Amino acid sequence: KIQKVYGSEILDSRGNPTVSATVQLTDGSMGTAASPSGASTGKFEAVELRDGDERRYGGKGVLKAVQNINEMISPALENLHSLTVREVDKVLIKLDGSPNKAHLGANATLAVSLACARAIAAHYRMPLYRFLGGAAAHELPVPMMNILNGGAHAGNNIDIQEFMIMPTGAENFREGLRWCAEIYHTLGRQLKKKGHSTAVGDEGGFAPNLASDEEAIEEILSAVETAGYSGRVKLALDAAGSEWAENGEYRLPKRGTRFSSDELIDFWEELVRKYPIVSIEDPLGEEDFPAWTKMTERLGDRLQIVGDDLFVTNMERLQKGIEEKAGNAILVKLNQIGTLSETLDAIELAKKNGYKTIVSHRSGETEDTFIADLAVAVNAGQIKTGAPCRTERVAKYNRLLRISEC
Ligand code: PGA
Ligand code: ZN
């Protein structure tokens, strides 16, 4: 049984407050977890509760969410009879009572949900990934590693938010991770030589002041070649296209170009024709389902088309996507929906319908490595957790390395 749940306000990787929760069971088992926080958040995400008190952390404090854990969630969970994560999540969802966790805050519910999973895994003396995934958990994910940042994550002239490398030709996780780290360092040296900044963005990728998105791709391909991995490492992009949507069309904020949905699809087609791009996330806006369907029809055989802001790890939105044949993969972010069980359900729905799954961090992260275990538990196949730089990102890779040796 649960003896106690308590929350606290801690800091994320941007120095903003976030919620941590600890769950203590009557047998002494404990689990702690923290909620991450996005910057380019989708409109349809569950609500991250912030205090809005400008005198503390510029309004970003999470004392209300913490109070909800201590005063509402903890008493509601203390008398729970059957202790499973699903039962805990049911109580959280019911106690919240809103369609989007607006009442308790998804930052509060998620921290508790994940901490419960950890406490129960500790009770069974199982590694988290094994507890979550059972005997079926076996696949280490291919990293989708962000090494160059633009968009809302960097103050440069690049519109696409994330440029990622995928070591698809590597034998195993450890080897793929090494390739990526080598390419990252090669890219750093190359940028420095050309007089560019090697300062990094929120997810650890470099954020040089390059003239265009194409130049960013060229720089990465050149680093891949210099490091000796041409052909064995592919590119993935996250456009974060919802950030570009403006009055029914698209405006790339930095280059200033305007596109209709059709023109934007043409732009992607051209980019995919020119470069070894295997995956594009949020190429279009979160409200533009018809354009997603069109793009999937045109490019879906050649390309992974990933819904992040489009699906927000939400079963209903994913179901709509499946019906309308919009996209062919889902980005999985626990805090978009606010409980572990709902996240697992979304993953299951995706897999049943042939959608690929990518477990993902947020741009604001903590040292919590839950997503590494989750990716292995559900055999997600891919993980997106930033550059091999900034410990909140590297911690996830290190956890995967350790899992790979279990
Ligand atoms: P976010 O960015 O965490 O700031 O939303 C990550 C992403 O868009 O995938
Ligand atoms: Zn995204």
Side-chain angles (χ1 to χ4, degrees), residues 316-333:
E316 279 169 35
R317 290 192 60 88
L318 177 59
Q319 187 60 49
K320 181 172 158 72
I322 291 164
E323 279 157 23
E324 298 183 12
K325 296 191 167 59
N328 55 23
I330 180 173
L331 201 79
V332 176
K333 289 170 166 169

Side-chain angles (χ1 to χ4, degrees), residues 143-150 153 160-166 180 184 187 201-206 220 236 238 361 363 383-389 393 397:
M144 190 181 255
M145 187 184 279
N146 179 1
I147 60 170
L148 207 150
N149 296 178
H153 289 175
I160 293 174
Q161 180 175 279
E162 300 170 23
F163 297 78
M164 297 170 280
I165 48 175
M166 297 186 73
C180 290
Y184 179 75
L187 178 62
D202 290 351
E203 298 183 350
F206 297 115
I220 291 172
D238 180 4
H361 64 166
S363 51
I383 191 166
K384 184 171 122 159
T385 187
C389 173
R393 318 288 149 185
Y397 292 122

Side-chain angles (χ1 to χ4, degrees), residues 85-386:
V85 179
R86 213 162 264 281
E87 284 303 318
V88 166
D89 289 347
K90 259 194 217 160
V91 171
L92 295 174
I93 292 164
K94 195 165 166 225
L95 190 65
D96 175 76
S98 76
N100 56 0
K101 315 283 187 305
H103 184 48
L104 295 173
N107 41 358
T109 59
L110 183 69
V112 171
S113 180
L114 302 186
C116 272
R118 279 222 172 87
I120 302 170
H123 168 79
Y124 289 118
R125 295 168 192 268
M126 281 173 126
L128 183 60
Y129 73 94
R130 186 62 65 204
F131 166 67
L132 295 175
H138 68 95
E139 192 184 338
L140 271 288
V142 176
M144 190 181 255
M145 187 184 279
N146 179 1
I147 60 170
L148 207 150
N149 296 178
H153 289 175
N156 55 19
N157 288 322
I158 302 172
D159 282 305
I160 293 174
Q161 180 175 279
E162 300 170 23
F163 297 78
M164 297 170 280
I165 48 175
M166 297 186 73
T168 50
E171 281 283 309
N172 53 45
F173 177 78
R174 182 175 286 276
E175 184 182 54
L177 186 65
R178 178 172 61 81
W179 292 7
C180 290
E182 289 173 11
I183 293 165
Y184 179 75
H185 291 129
T186 307
L187 178 62
R189 279 193 295 273
Q190 187 181 298
L191 291 171
K192 199 167 170 197
K193 225 195 241 163
K194 293 184 182 170
H196 291 300
S197 155
T198 49
V200 300
D202 290 351
E203 298 183 350
F206 297 115
N209 223 331
L210 304 177
S212 69
D213 297 76
E214 286 81 354
E215 193 183 345
I217 296 177
E218 299 282 356
E219 286 293 340
I220 291 172
L221 288 177
S222 157
V224 169
E225 193 182 334
T226 308
Y229 298 113
S230 283
R232 292 182 288 171
V233 169
K234 305 288 184 198
L235 301 184
L237 304 174
D238 180 4
S242 298
E243 305 275 315
W244 300 349
E246 202 179 273
N247 310 324
E249 55 170 23
Y250 294 92
R251 197 180 75 83
L252 276 54
K254 294 177 181 175
R255 65 167 91 187
T257 331
R258 286 179 188 281
F259 286 123
S260 66
S261 301
D262 284 340
E263 286 163 350
L264 188 51
I265 298 171
D266 292 340
F267 171 77
W268 294 126
E269 186 162 28
E270 179 59 15
L271 219 55
V272 170
R273 198 185 54 73
K274 259 169 77 183
Y275 301 111
I277 297 167
V278 294
S279 177
I280 307 181
E281 180 181 328
D282 286 347
L284 297 152
E286 61 210 333
E287 296 184 87
D288 204 356
F289 268 100
W292 277 81
T293 304
K294 240 188 231 173
M295 176 155 168
T296 309
E297 205 175 282
R298 262 168 71 177
L299 301 174
D301 308 338
R302 281 187 269 163
L303 191 66
Q304 178 171 264
I305 302 172
V306 187
D308 169 14
D309 291 350
L310 184 72
F311 296 140
V312 289
T313 317
N314 180 313
M315 294 256 276
E316 279 169 35
R317 290 192 60 88
L318 177 59
Q319 187 60 49
K320 181 172 158 72
I322 291 164
E323 279 157 23
E324 298 183 12
K325 296 191 167 59
N328 55 23
I330 180 173
L331 201 79
V332 176
K333 289 170 166 169
L334 288 151
N335 79 324
Q336 283 179 330
I337 192 73
T339 65
L340 175 60
S341 319
E342 289 167 288
T343 304
L344 293 172
D345 290 345
I347 293 171
E348 195 181 320
L349 180 66
K351 285 180 172 252
K352 268 192 193 147
N353 289 279
Y355 275 56
K356 295 273 197 300
T357 53
I358 305 131
V359 170
S360 173
H361 64 166
R362 297 307 306 246
S363 51
E365 268 292 332
T366 68
E367 66 281 13
D368 192 328
T369 57
F370 198 102
I371 58 167
D373 284 76
L374 177 64
V376 177
V378 301
N379 301 313
Q382 300 167 71
I383 191 166
K384 184 171 122 159
T385 187

